[in-house]
Amino acid sequence: MDVSADSSSARARSILDDLIRQRKLMHGSDADASLIEANRLGIMYWQWQLSRALSVEREQSGAAA
């Protein structure tokens, strides 16, 4: 299995966790709507990156089988 794919999915998960934590904090405060929107877009982007990384991992594990 390619280490870079594992690193990519782990990195995306870590960033997503941070963005989600930030979002929860923003909703509990008087955060500006544009910051909340930027956070939402960031979450969408990193969900897509995670999906791509997991797809690569699945392909690689299927090829190794």
Side-chain angles (χ1 to χ4, degrees), residues 54-65:
L54 292 173
S55 178
V56 168
E57 289 174 16
R58 281 191 299 273
E59 288 174 10
Q60 290 175 345
S61 67

Side-chain angles (χ1 to χ4, degrees), residues 2-16 46 49-54 56-57:
D2 186 349
V3 174
S4 65
D6 289 336
S7 298
S8 295
S9 66
R11 179 172 178 249
R13 284 179 205 264
S14 176
I15 292 170
L16 270 170
W46 285 104
Q49 291 296 325
L50 177 58
S51 176
R52 288 180 55 196
L54 292 173
V56 168
E57 289 174 16

